[in-house]
Structures are given as structure tokens and as C-alpha cells.
Amino acid sequence: ALARLAESKGATIRYGADAREVVAERGRAVAVQLPDERLEAGAVIANAEPSALGPAAARAAPAPSRRSFSAV
């Protein structure tokens, strides 16, 4: 449901993409680097640990929250 909503708002979802790095500039993600392509983006959403996204993205990522989102 979340993917369909995002796509209906113009998002492009790349399942199984071999993302090498999330490129960050001035503290925000601006692109995703694939082996043979750089995808520029107004926003990047990744389901991964910040440290797996590359050093610039890890520095730009917000601190982890200990709050349970199931209780929100």
C-alpha cells in the first residue's frame, strides 16, 4: 500500500537495485549511485542501516530513534 501511494505521487521505486552509495551534498541525499547509472532524486528513501549507504549518507542520516513507532 505504501509503495502504491508513493508511486501515485510520482515516486519511482527500484526493487533489487544494486545501490553502491547514496550521494549526499550539504547534508541531504541527492542521488543514488548504481554500478552503471546515477539516479538524481529530490528525496531518497532507503530501507537500510545508514552505514550501508556510504559515508556521506551515514553522516547526513538522522540519529536513530529508540521510540516504538507501533505505539505512535
Side-chain angles (χ1 to χ4, degrees), residues 6-30:
E7 290 170 331
S8 76
K9 301 295 182 183
T12 301
I13 299 174
R14 290 275 192 100
Y15 296 100
D18 186 12
R20 299 298 168 100
E21 180 180 5
V22 174
V23 181
E25 294 175 359
R26 293 185 299 279
R28 64 181 293 272
V30 296

Side-chain angles (χ1 to χ4, degrees), residues 11-12 22 28-32 39-46:
T12 301
V22 174
R28 64 181 293 272
V30 296
V32 176
L39 304 172
E40 304 290 330
V44 175
I45 299 171

Side-chain angles (χ1 to χ4, degrees), residues 3 7 10 14 16 19 34-35 42 45 47 52 55-56 60 63-64 68 70:
E7 290 170 331
R14 290 275 192 100
L34 304 179
I45 299 171
N47 185 18
S68 170
S70 62

